[in-house]
Amino acid sequence: MPVARPEPQEPRVIAHVDMDCFYVQVEQRRNPALRGQPTAVVQYNDWKGGGLIAVSYEARGFGVKRSMRGDEAKRVCPGINLVQVPVARGKADLNLYRSAGSEVVAILASKGKCERASIDEVYLDLTDAAKEMLLQAPPDSPEEILIEAAKSNILGLPSDASEKEKIVRAWLCRPDADSEDKLLACGAIIVAQLRVRVLEETQFTCSAGIAHNKMLAKLVSGMHKPAQQTVVPSSSVQDFLASLPVKKMKQLGGKLGSSLQDDLGVETIGDLLSFTEEKLQEQYGVNTGTWLWKIARGISGEEVEDRLLPKSHGCGKTFPGPKALKNSASVKGWLDQLCEELSERIQSDLNQNKRIAQTLTLHARVSKENERDSVKKFPSKSCPLRYGTWKIQEDAMKLFESGLHDFLEYQNTGWSITSLSVTASKIFDIPSGTSSILRYVKGPSSASSPAIPDSSSVPEDPSLDNNVYVTPSNEEQCEPSTSEKEDGKKYSAISAKQCSANEAKRISKKFPEVKGTSSILKFLSRGQSALHEKRKSDGLICSHPGLESSLEASRAEEHNASAQGADRSSTNCGAEPSGSNAWMFNVEDIDPAVVEELPPEIRREIQGWIRPPKQPNTKRRGSTISSYFPPARS
DNA sequence: ACGGATCGCACT
DNA sequence: TAGTGCGAT
């Protein structure tokens, strides 16, 4: 349910920027012959021509809609170009669009607080930039920068006038405007400039809304499309909302909106004004009631969050109708594919953004059998996320089995899975200054891979050292970044130190008993067995069905690393960036007891990487990483 | 055979 | 917390 936020007292300047039929634009950039043509992006095409997920404005002119099938689109628009979403591992691969979205975000984040709201939308808080412009370059001086801004739509001004641009320009430069409108005018100019930059640097057009809060900015960003922007002066808010159908408001597109219509007879946002806050609270609860009362008055205190990256990564696929999965072998096969993609994505998040995900969740759906009230849902299951494709696959399968077990206890019928997804969530920045214990290990070095065998190493365990190489790692990546991390946030579980090859060598020198770069890490990780047993006896592990045999899995993985690595490099043509098929050394694998055996200078260093173990709380049921490495404060 | 694949959030 | 549910694009 929506929740009202405290209202900032100062007027803000907020923009919502929305890419125009984004996936289509990405494909048009790849293939310029598609520009100006009726075009749509479809995923899959074997069934009814695939499902449309983006439609160009030319095609919309023919009545083509999202949610149509490819065949249907062809019918209403025979000349349409249907471009397929790339497929990898048997599923739609959206990475192309994700990285295109990142290009845009990088530009839009340059003028103030920027929140990535989705793959093709951002919110901007331009309050400071607008204030600054008001002081230094009031919107009436330079002619040139007004040209784009003058194409804005101003809510409340005539939009069909022949003199429209002159009127808009006059509004933007109006000397007698109040300070709120002046700030909005500055915001409009800034956004116009940003949109030009986006177009110049990415070839993508976008539309935008500029208002005093997120709700209003979002409401109007799509009002004039494509490639236009719309401003909402305070003076036009009431009239605008008065006639706005409830379903158009964000959060009211579903059941809540229907209930407003059906139960209260509310058709427009304006209709809400006739209800007292108490009445709305009584109907929908305190939070939602207050929220409704406020939005009816154009009030929304929601802040723009400073976040350029997604909070979770998910990979899923549906298996409709006859494609439903009916045995555990096929589930395993598909889960492996999904986990492979997920692993790749969290690995690049780690490499590029220095972020670590902590939780792995599995979702599945079972087909609803005929009419019979087999409405039982397949339960979601989650567990601590261990890095490494094979570990993720293993854990995901365990989670599935656990969920299936629960499901079958009540549902005595057979099963058939119609959708599967795996999600990595609870993603945290690695605090700068410290970094994490990352053990980048590659399979046997192929000719194309730059892995460096550690020739000085004396293998203590041939099965490990003969096959394992530490990749060279970029030193500056390990330097503390200058940007100040906001503190007071829980850095969660992991505070660790990035361990580059050079650093591992340096440590090795100080610690002669442990020879070689991989050996130091191996040394740190030995004793897992003892740790595992300890956790078990502390009752910390038993409720994690996905992890019961994690130890065995780890061992098997080390021994299999060679063979599997070879498989991968042959199918991947060896062109992967360094680290892409690496797996990580997990903090959870470190035995605190091992750390204590280290010489003091090494121990000091190691203990900067990980937090001291908390006294196990036997009442707790989860063996999460955080129960072992709790946040410093909390 | 539910438009599919992803996301975010509030609630319990 | 883990798990559910809703809403959005």
Side-chain angles (χ1 to χ4, degrees):
Chain A
M1 304 289 264
V3 160
R5 301 290 178 196
E7 177 72 352
Q9 64 302 49
E10 287 282 295
R12 299 173 294 161
V13 177
I14 308 294
H16 178 257
V17 181
D18 194 332
M19 305 306 293
D20 305 321
C21 55
F22 188 46
Y23 292 8
V24 167
Q25 285 203 77
V26 173
E27 296 299 342
Q28 285 174 331
R29 185 175 70 172
R30 269 214 306 191
N31 176 7
L34 296 172
R35 289 192 185 283
Q37 305 264 19
T39 303
V41 174
V42 297
Q43 46 191 7
Y44 313 124
N45 65 353
D46 54 327
W47 195 66
K48 298 190 174 180
L52 274 58
I53 54 176
V55 180
S56 78
Y57 285 84
E58 293 82 2
R60 293 184 201 193
F62 288 85
V64 179
K65 299 246 177 85
R66 236 181 323 166
S67 91
M68 273 184 178
R69 301 288 176 180
D71 294 350
E72 204 179 349
K74 278 284 185 191
R75 261 206 316 279
V76 302
C77 178
I80 195 171
N81 298 285
L82 297 180
V83 184
Q84 281 183 252
V85 172
V87 170
R89 304 183 187 90
K91 67 178 289 296
D93 178 4
L94 304 184
N95 281 329
L96 183 67
Y97 313 113
R98 285 193 188 94
S99 51
S102 301
E103 293 177 45
V104 175
V105 167
I107 296 165
L108 294 178
S110 62
K111 286 289 179 182
K113 223 189 280 178
C114 176
E115 173 181 332
R116 189 198 117 122
S118 79
I119 197 169
D120 71 339
E121 284 174 287
V122 306
Y123 288 97
L124 305 176
D125 187 330
L126 300 170
T127 308
D128 292 345
K131 281 181 177 169
E132 195 165 328
M133 176 181 286
L134 207 48
L135 290 177
Q136 297 181 0
D140 55 342
S141 23
E143 189 63 16
E144 221 174 89
I145 67 167
L146 277 176
I147 292 178
E148 280 307 313
K151 299 175 185 166
S152 299
N153 303 277
I154 313 291
L155 222 58
L157 295 189
S159 62
D160 53 347
S162 55
E163 303 277 80
K164 187 187 154 198
E165 285 199 23
K166 279 210 165 86
I167 297 174
V168 169
R169 187 180 301 242
W171 188 91
L172 290 172
C173 305
R174 205 167 31 122
D176 61 326
D178 61 30
S179 68
E180 286 190 14
D181 278 359
K182 282 182 173 168
L183 280 175
L184 280 188
C186 291
I189 292 167
I190 294 166
V191 171
Q193 291 172 332
L194 282 173
R195 290 177 43 242
V196 168
R197 270 194 61 199
V198 168
L199 181 60
E200 287 173 348
E201 296 176 28
T202 69
Q203 308 176 32
F204 299 144
T205 68
C206 55
S207 301
I210 299 100
H212 287 305
N213 62 50
K214 285 171 85 170
M215 171 193 80
L216 293 169
K218 164 84 178 169
L219 272 175
V220 301
S221 65
M223 179 174 278
H224 300 93
K225 270 194 162 252
Q228 295 180 67
Q229 62 185 49
T230 306
V231 181
V232 191
S234 294
S235 55
S236 67
V237 169
Q238 285 299 330
D239 284 352
F240 171 51
L241 294 180
S243 58
L244 186 76
V246 282
K247 291 271 178 190
K248 298 277 188 189
M249 175 73 62
K250 196 171 83 150
Q251 302 292 303
L252 297 184
K255 298 182 177 182
L256 181 54
S258 298
S259 166
L260 283 173
Q261 295 178 288
D262 302 344
D263 302 333
L264 296 186
V266 169
E267 291 299 328
T268 70
I269 297 299
D271 293 344
L272 277 173
L273 288 171
S274 51
F275 295 87
T276 65
E277 187 174 359
E278 291 72 27
K279 169 68 181 170
L280 293 171
Q281 288 181 340
E282 157 194 327
Q283 192 83 21
Y284 296 109
V286 183
N287 286 334
T288 302
T290 300
W291 179 80
L292 287 168
W293 189 87
K294 286 189 168 181
I295 61 152
R297 290 153 181 80
I299 301 170
S300 156
E302 197 185 340
E303 292 222 39
V304 175
E305 216 182 309
D306 192 1
R307 180 176 57 76
L308 307 183
L309 299 170
K311 289 184 162 182
S312 65
H313 301 288
C315 301
K317 179 167 177 61
T318 57
F319 308 94
K323 293 208 162 100
L325 313 180
K326 305 199 161 168
N327 60 65
S328 115
S330 58
V331 169
K332 172 80 164 73
W334 281 109
L335 265 188
D336 282 352
Q337 300 305 108
L338 295 171
C339 291
E340 221 176 280
E341 184 191 320
L342 184 64
S343 180
E344 203 172 277
R345 282 167 58 191
I346 61 177
Q347 193 66 48
S348 46
D349 198 0
L350 173 61
N351 293 334
Q352 295 169 17
N353 309 315
K354 299 284 172 286
R355 301 198 306 165
I356 293 187
Q358 277 195 48
T359 303
L360 176 70
T361 305
L362 177 131
H363 295 269
R365 270 169 40 191
V366 287
S367 69
K368 9 185 161 176
E369 272 147 50
N370 286 339
E371 300 119 42
R372 292 325 260 148
D373 41 354
S374 68
V375 277
K376 180 83 162 85
K377 301 243 166 94
F378 193 100
S380 301
K381 294 287 170 183
S382 56
C383 71
L385 190 154
R386 304 181 302 145
Y387 275 70
T389 305
W390 305 301
K391 293 182 182 180
I392 294 172
Q393 289 170 337
E394 171 104 13
D395 291 348
M397 192 61 199
K398 289 280 170 56
L399 291 174
F400 174 79
E401 284 162 356
S402 161
L404 185 62
H405 176 77
D406 291 359
F407 176 78
L408 290 177
E409 278 194 17
Y410 301 89
Q411 208 69 25
N412 210 356
T413 72
W415 50 275
S416 96
I417 299 296
T418 57
S419 103
L420 280 178
S421 76
V422 287
T423 302
S425 61
K426 306 206 182 132
I427 303 179
F428 294 94
D429 288 356
I430 296 171
S432 52
T434 53
S435 37
S436 104
I437 302 184
L438 304 182
R439 178 211 210 185
Y440 292 98
V441 184
K442 297 202 72 146
S445 70
S446 62
S448 63
S449 111
I452 323 173
D454 181 7
S455 52
S456 72
S457 139
V458 177
E460 300 163 32
D461 177 356
S463 73
L464 183 64
D465 276 303
N466 283 349
N467 297 322
V468 163
Y469 303 97
V470 177
T471 63
S473 139
N474 203 345
E475 275 304 307
E476 60 263 22
Q477 285 185 341
C478 301
E479 291 303 318
S481 90
T482 51
S483 75
E484 206 59 35
K485 293 282 174 196
E486 74 276 56
D487 230 8
K489 283 220 161 167
K490 56 174 178 183
Y491 279 140
S492 85
I494 302 175
S495 166
K497 177 130 185 132
Q498 174 141 17
C499 195
S500 70
N502 285 342
E503 188 167 22
K505 280 181 182 166
R506 188 172 56 75
I507 294 170
S508 297
K509 282 189 182 165
K510 292 198 261 177
F511 195 19
E513 306 94 291
V514 179
K515 298 191 169 82
T517 55
S518 54
S519 301
I520 174 83
L521 295 159
K522 183 191 157 204
F523 183 85
L524 284 173
S525 66
R526 99 183 155 198
Q528 283 179 56
S529 180
L531 174 61
H532 187 80
E533 292 308 317
K534 179 175 185 304
R535 287 185 183 181
K536 229 176 186 170
S537 65
D538 288 345
L540 288 174
I541 213 168
C542 55
S543 72
H544 275 293
L547 297 177
E548 268 156 25
S549 60
S550 66
L551 180 62
E552 290 74 9
S554 282
R555 286 227 197 77
E557 184 159 49
E558 299 209 348
H559 289 287
N560 289 341
S562 167
Q564 301 209 22
D567 276 346
R568 301 180 114 248
S569 56
S570 67
T571 56
N572 283 346
C573 302
E576 299 272 292
S578 156
S580 68
N581 61 354
W583 53 284
M584 257 192 55
F585 183 86
N586 290 284
V587 173
E588 61 178 5
D589 291 337
I590 297 175
D591 183 352
V594 170
V595 175
E596 287 180 22
E597 293 169 13
L598 297 170
E601 54 189 304
I602 302 295
R603 188 169 60 217
R604 268 199 301 280
E605 204 153 353
I606 303 297
Q607 282 172 343
W609 303 356
I610 60 176
R611 298 190 193 281
K614 184 182 169 183
Q615 286 311 317
N617 177 358
T618 49
K619 280 184 193 166
R620 288 284 307 261
R621 49 184 194 92
S623 118
T624 59
I625 291 176
S626 51
S627 57
Y628 259 79
F629 304 102
R633 53 189 135 258
S634 97

